[in-house]
Amino acid sequence: MSAFLLDASTGADWQYCEAETKEVYRRSEGLAVATFRMFCQGIFSSNPDFPWQADFRGLSQLKLETLAAGFQVSRDNPLVGLTGRLELLQRLGNAICQHPLLFGSENQRPGNLAQYLLDSLVSGVKTVDCAKILSAVLTGFGENWPGKYAIGGVNLGEVWRHRALQGENLGDEFVPFHQLSQWLTYSLLEPLQELGLYVVRLDELTGLAGYRNGGLCLDMGLLRAKDSAIFEQKYLPGSEVVVEWRSLTVILLDKIAAAMRYKLDLSATKLPLVKILQGGTWAAGRKIATELRAAGVPPIHIESNGTFFNS
């Protein structure tokens, strides 16, 4: 869970050197390895007898200097949005206390969500809809995601406005991405299956509108900018350029999936979108970006404060 929260844009200058292997990692890979090492060191746990866990006290009481040391941040190795990442983790610790049904009433941990899903099954039934997992994620972590908009006091999460969308209903102008929530849902599938659950209706989730997938679409020529000046500027996550780019990425991911299934003569059941994302488009987007641009930066530059999930 912590790895997802921390995976926002790092900036082009940050890197992480893994002490155990001496390997150097950057961007999403660096954040993942650094977070895993912090987890192994018990940084997210408040109980020294159980260091390999993330609990509400360990998260909510985390200090900036501890997180900075874990990420090897220094004057020569700056990490974009370090304070924003800390605030997200602290909010996570507070958020899980608000949902005892999902995260337990004692020793509240994000990992208790798996037990909730197991307990919610009808006796003798071992199948769970993918949408049910996403619903639990949105409910349990919804207040933690950085959101700009709310309806009826409810944080809408990762949605953005686009002026081309007009309608008579409240919220018609919003484009819902929920990238982190869906990414977390996808990542829970394998662990839940190892617990004996059979996850069905995977097609109820969309592709992930991050800069790796979106970058692939631009770098491969599937998308073309009407004005090349777009690549020379920086944009906030809510800018129409970014919202439109991400929206088109979601659409194209479905088309890429259909083309791959046709090419390989596989059904959606045999080759679901989640496999295409992780092993295909995301990895390809990263590889092509590294070949085209220094440090593998995305083709469109997004300003980040560490709370926008754009990998």
Side-chain angles (χ1 to χ4, degrees):
M1 181 65 223
S2 299
F4 289 93
L5 287 174
L6 297 172
D7 190 17
S9 177
T10 64
D13 300 322
W14 178 81
Q15 63 181 28
Y16 179 81
C17 179
E18 188 177 36
E20 292 78 3
T21 64
K22 306 305 179 185
E23 292 286 339
V24 175
Y25 300 91
R26 296 175 174 83
R27 295 191 172 272
S28 293
E29 295 83 358
L31 293 170
V33 174
T35 304
F36 174 71
R37 288 303 178 187
M38 282 189 276
F39 178 82
C40 292
Q41 295 162 15
I43 287 177
F44 306 123
S45 173
S46 64
N47 188 342
D49 293 330
F50 296 95
W52 295 344
Q53 67 176 17
D55 58 49
F56 82 96
R57 286 194 181 91
L59 293 167
S60 61
Q61 298 174 9
L62 189 64
K63 304 299 183 184
L64 183 63
E65 54 268 25
T66 303
L67 192 62
F71 279 128
Q72 302 177 350
V73 174
S74 66
R75 180 176 299 179
D76 297 326
N77 192 37
L79 175 63
V80 170
L82 181 64
T83 301
R85 295 171 210 270
L86 174 67
E87 292 172 351
L88 283 171
L89 288 176
Q90 291 173 337
R91 286 208 301 269
L92 172 62
N94 294 323
I96 61 178
C97 293
Q98 300 173 18
H99 299 280
L101 180 64
L102 298 176
F103 304 115
S105 56
E106 297 180 3
N107 189 30
Q108 296 94 331
R109 300 185 300 112
N112 286 336
L113 185 67
Q115 189 61 53
Y116 159 77
L117 291 169
L118 287 170
D119 292 343
S120 65
L121 296 177
V122 177
S123 178
V125 177
K126 286 294 185 177
T127 61
V128 59
D129 285 356
C130 200
K132 181 178 177 63
I133 303 173
L134 176 60
S135 178
V137 168
L138 289 170
T139 300
F141 304 119
E143 289 300 314
N144 193 69
W145 303 156
K148 299 293 184 182
Y149 308 106
I151 294 179
V154 177
N155 180 3
L156 298 183
E158 214 239 316
V159 303
W160 303 96
R161 276 196 171 102
H162 196 291
R163 61 183 172 180
L165 301 176
Q166 301 292 334
E168 299 179 355
N169 300 315
L170 185 64
D172 280 348
E173 72 276 22
F174 292 128
V175 182
F177 293 117
H178 300 303
Q179 177 177 317
L180 184 60
S181 297
Q182 293 199 91
W183 185 11
L184 178 55
T185 300
Y186 278 133
S187 297
L188 287 172
L189 300 184
E190 188 172 344
L192 290 173
Q193 289 169 345
E194 291 180 356
L195 291 174
L197 292 180
Y198 182 63
V199 184
V200 297
R201 299 180 181 175
L202 297 181
D203 58 348
E204 292 181 339
L205 271 63
T206 73
L208 302 178
Y211 71 68
R212 289 303 187 201
N213 289 328
L216 173 71
C217 294
L218 279 169
D219 289 337
M220 293 296 292
L222 300 176
L223 290 176
R224 294 183 181 179
K226 292 182 178 180
D227 187 350
S228 60
I230 285 177
F231 303 113
E232 301 170 3
Q233 304 173 38
K234 286 188 176 181
Y235 298 93
L236 293 171
S239 70
E240 290 195 351
V241 167
V242 174
V243 173
E244 195 166 318
W245 173 35
R246 299 180 74 200
S247 300
L248 291 169
T249 295
V250 173
I251 295 170
L252 285 172
L253 287 172
D254 282 339
K255 294 184 178 297
I256 291 172
M260 290 183 65
R261 291 170 188 140
Y262 177 79
K263 181 75 173 180
L264 299 173
D265 192 24
L266 293 173
S267 66
T269 302
K270 293 290 186 181
L271 186 61
L273 184 59
V274 60
K275 291 185 178 181
I276 293 170
L277 294 173
Q278 181 61 30
T281 58
W282 192 92
R286 178 185 61 178
K287 184 176 187 297
I288 294 171
T290 301
E291 293 174 352
L292 294 178
R293 291 174 295 276
V297 298
I300 295 179
H301 303 290
I302 306 173
E303 293 185 14
S304 176
N305 64 354
T307 64
F308 175 59
F309 312 102
N310 55 0
S311 60

